[in-house]
Amino acid sequence: MHKYSHPDLAKRPAIFSFCTDPDTLGQFQWLACYLTTGKHMGFYISFGTVLLLLAVTAPTALLFGFGGASAARSTFLPLRWFGKAYIAIVRGVPDIAFFLFFVIALDQGIEWLRHQVKCPDWDQPIRQGNDFVVCAAAKMPLGNAPQWIHEVYGFGLAVVTFAIVFGAFAANVMYGAMRAVPRAQLETAEAYGMTPRQTFWRILVPQMWVYALPGLGNLWMVLIKATPLLFLLGVEDIVYWARELGGAKTARFTDYPHADWRLWYFFVLLLFYLGFTRVSEIYLDRIMKKLTHGQATTGGEAQRKGAAT
Amino acid sequence: MKKLLITTAALALSATSLLAADVVRLGTEGAYPPYNFINDKGEVDGFERELGDELCKRAELTCEWVTNDWDSIIPNLVSGNYDAIIAGMSITDERKEKIDFSENYTQPDPSAYMALAGSSPDLAGGVIAAQAATIQAAHVTESGATLVEFASPDETVAAVRNGEADAVLADKAFLAPIAEENADLELTGDDVLIGGGIGLGIRKSDNALRDKFTAAIQSMKADGSLNELIKKWLPDSAPF
């Protein structure tokens, strides 16, 4: 059967020099060559993509959550409505629907704004049936931008979407945590003559974290495993690659034919996720210990007694 | 705010001068050999890779390949994330309500059933696997069999192997190499002809691009180069 590879693509040398004809190799070398194909490099890089996404998304979602929670307990009525509506609506919409439609809507919203600024004398309608047509200069990113810009933009949209979704859950957790801070603490602050703003920043916020952390830790665990949603946006994550690489390959389309190996690839992902979860648990425990220190909670009391004896 | 406006204006100016180089983004699935798949180097490869590159050359377009999930491949086209779908997508009336197609670049392709070797599944009343939102899935529903849908072509084959489905219905060009190389699987029953051939999916508002691709396809049909590609990649398909 004819083996075909695109002429432009055949130029990159393999990592190991013996990888020229995989059919003749021993088992160990075959595996070494197989695991260093360009496709596998894509798989390894995607671990970095996922970690980067988490590193950027977690603080952003926390910020959204803090904003949402503060808004939801604001004394200014419209702001309170806004905060509560954000928490209720986003938590109620399924993630997958959010990722399919919200992202497209967000992208179109950005392009619509750019269209208004850049092409004021455009005479065609923007909505033509199902199509969304803006002038070429309003495209985001521009149609002729290199592929990596498209990928960075897609990644950026993913971060914003994840932050909005997880921010709503975080907002709910923090809203509860703010209410869990003992009322006596706030009354004492008022008695000392602190303004509401001072009470919020100096008394409420430092004390609420200890109540928020278990809930936020949960969210972090869920976020770690939510990354397969990325491929809906065209960002290739680890689960996409595991599925793609693990699927059965026939000799006609690859130098490395194999049966259905998805089980092995998913096993690797399992180890990755379990390891990541364990590391997260260790760090969350440490943070918890630190936050509990000196707090008017049973945990804080236990720490105080432990130090005294 | 004023500063922002000035920056955007400057960006707009530099943008218009860049627009001379026309880049057309081609969206594909990358999971459906021999039509399109990701090769060992991690690049899009297959019948449609070779065809698309040649079409772009003839239409004098600079093309860029993008992979996208099958489920969201049409929504992402109409919202402008890429400009054409070239993903083994058959021309059907249902899809034509949402998008336009270029002239077809394959004949209506035979679809085939594949089942475990030695089993004789009930194709009209059994459980048949197909990829979701495909012409094959629609065909199974009409035939009276029970349809189980999967998001990717790989999973439909896996479903037959583990007994979840009695057989899978897919393009014959996709199933034939799999049946050939796996002793435990075989093609079964008669081929079925569904769909109106495969074409490039284009936004309805993008007539200029559609006409360019159609002209390029016609020129490849006229000089026989399309038939050569079909012979090389899709040996079971009828040439033009």
Side-chain angles (χ1 to χ4, degrees):
Chain A
M1 193 69 63
H2 177 80
K3 255 181 203 162
Y4 173 79
S5 147
H6 198 260
D8 299 340
L9 308 173
K11 283 172 196 154
R12 191 147 59 123
I15 294 204
F16 300 114
S17 53
F18 52 79
C19 289
T20 44
D21 189 2
D23 297 344
T24 61
L25 293 172
Q27 232 172 3
F28 173 75
Q29 277 125 326
W30 187 91
L31 205 61
C33 295
Y34 173 68
L35 291 176
T36 51
T37 55
K39 208 175 181 179
H40 274 86
M41 292 304 158
F43 180 48
Y44 306 141
I45 290 169
S46 67
F47 281 91
T49 312
V50 165
L51 291 178
L52 184 69
L53 178 92
L54 292 173
V56 179
T57 305
T60 322
L62 211 54
L63 215 63
F64 273 69
F66 189 77
S70 314
R73 64 187 300 290
S74 159
T75 47
F76 181 55
L77 193 61
L79 196 61
R80 193 160 72 231
W81 279 342
F82 170 77
K84 293 209 161 156
Y86 165 58
I87 294 175
I89 292 172
V90 177
R91 285 198 316 150
V93 176
D95 286 2
I96 192 151
F98 217 86
F99 268 79
L100 264 180
F101 300 110
F102 174 77
V103 177
I104 288 177
L106 180 68
D107 182 39
Q108 292 187 349
I110 294 173
E111 289 186 350
W112 183 83
L113 283 177
R114 282 166 60 92
H115 181 85
Q116 300 301 322
V117 175
K118 298 192 173 195
C119 308
D121 42 356
W122 185 262
D123 55 354
Q124 291 164 20
I126 290 182
R127 283 246 162 248
Q128 301 181 14
N130 285 313
D131 298 2
F132 179 82
V133 186
V134 291
C135 63
K139 278 273 177 207
M140 186 79 187
L142 293 171
N144 54 5
Q147 180 58 20
W148 70 267
I149 292 190
H150 283 273
E151 274 165 23
V152 169
Y153 179 68
F155 185 84
L157 283 183
V159 168
V160 172
T161 315
F162 268 116
I164 291 177
V165 173
F166 282 84
F169 287 94
N172 201 43
V173 168
M174 285 195 241
Y175 180 70
M178 286 175 183
R179 292 173 57 136
V181 173
R183 177 80 199 125
Q185 295 281 332
L186 306 181
E187 273 169 5
T188 311
E190 278 158 25
Y192 271 97
M194 286 190 186
T195 63
R197 178 182 291 251
Q198 282 172 329
T199 314
F200 179 76
W201 285 109
R202 295 188 190 177
I203 307 297
L204 184 68
V205 171
Q207 291 194 58
M208 71 146 189
W209 292 110
V210 71
Y211 302 103
L213 194 68
L216 293 179
N218 257 349
L219 280 179
W220 166 252
M221 299 291 185
V222 177
L223 177 65
I224 292 175
K225 284 164 281 187
T227 57
L229 289 170
L230 279 177
F231 191 54
L232 286 177
L233 310 179
V235 180
E236 289 153 353
D237 92 309
I238 47 180
V239 178
Y240 162 79
W241 279 117
R243 199 172 289 183
E244 168 63 36
L245 287 163
K249 299 278 180 297
T250 54
R252 216 180 134 196
F253 307 117
T254 172
D255 291 337
Y256 304 93
H258 60 74
D260 191 338
W261 283 1
R262 279 181 299 180
L263 199 63
W264 296 109
Y265 282 92
F266 284 127
F267 185 69
V268 171
L269 293 194
L270 177 81
L271 291 182
F272 171 73
Y273 280 129
L274 280 180
F276 201 10
T277 308
R278 184 77 200 110
V279 171
S280 302
E281 270 177 353
I282 292 171
Y283 275 93
L284 287 171
D285 274 354
R286 270 193 208 169
I287 298 173
M288 191 66 194
K289 225 171 245 163
K290 230 183 196 153
L291 287 176
T292 313
H293 187 75
Q295 295 286 342
T297 60
T298 40
E301 185 64 14
Q303 268 186 6
R304 192 183 64 79
K305 279 189 181 148
T309 51
Chain B
M1 190 61 207
K2 201 169 185 183
K3 199 168 172 190
L4 186 75
L5 280 178
I6 293 170
T7 348
T8 25
L11 270 175
L13 278 177
S14 57
T16 27
S17 58
L18 277 171
L19 285 171
D22 231 0
V23 175
V24 171
R25 291 161 56 76
L26 302 175
T28 191
E29 187 194 11
Y32 204 50
Y35 296 94
N36 57 76
F37 59 96
I38 311 292
N39 68 10
D40 289 338
K41 296 183 180 66
E43 307 269 357
V44 176
D45 201 339
F47 169 64
E48 284 167 334
R49 171 76 205 244
E50 216 175 332
L51 174 74
D53 285 349
E54 180 62 26
L55 290 178
C56 291
K57 207 163 98 194
R58 290 185 187 220
E60 292 175 355
L61 301 165
T62 317
C63 291
E64 183 100 55
W65 289 88
V66 200
T67 46
N68 200 90
D69 205 25
W70 178 257
D71 274 345
S72 58
I73 206 162
I74 290 183
N76 272 319
L77 173 76
V78 295
S79 75
N81 290 347
Y82 35 80
D83 306 303
I85 297 174
I86 173 164
M89 188 179 271
S90 289
I91 303 170
T92 64
D93 290 338
E94 199 190 342
R95 289 183 182 135
K96 269 192 189 158
E97 284 170 16
K98 289 183 222 139
I99 55 174
D100 260 359
F101 284 95
S102 71
E103 194 172 294
N104 57 323
Y105 53 76
T106 68
Q107 300 280 24
D109 239 5
S111 294
Y113 288 98
M114 185 173 75
L116 290 177
S119 72
S120 45
D122 175 11
L123 299 177
V127 180
I128 310 291
Q131 188 179 11
T134 57
I135 50 172
Q136 286 85 7
H139 180 82
V140 172
T141 318
E142 282 164 21
S143 72
T146 309
L147 170 70
V148 277
E149 288 185 303
F150 295 91
S152 71
D154 255 0
E155 288 166 288
T156 60
V157 176
V160 172
R161 277 221 165 92
N162 64 26
E164 203 176 331
D166 300 330
V168 47
L169 180 64
D171 281 316
K172 193 173 182 183
F174 168 69
L175 292 179
I178 299 175
E180 220 168 90
E181 290 190 22
N182 293 283
D184 60 329
L185 295 167
E186 66 180 11
L187 297 183
T188 178
D190 295 327
D191 292 353
V192 279
L193 279 175
I194 32 181
I198 297 173
L200 282 107
I202 317 261
R203 276 185 297 277
K204 276 185 184 250
S205 53
D206 217 349
N207 290 340
L209 187 66
R210 185 196 64 201
D211 295 344
K212 270 186 202 166
F213 275 125
T214 294
I217 290 169
Q218 282 165 347
S219 97
M220 284 186 74
K221 280 177 179 169
D223 67 8
S225 51
L226 182 57
N227 280 342
E228 270 167 45
L229 279 186
I230 291 176
K231 219 166 86 191
K232 173 174 173 187
W233 286 102
L234 314 167
D236 289 323
S237 296
F240 285 98

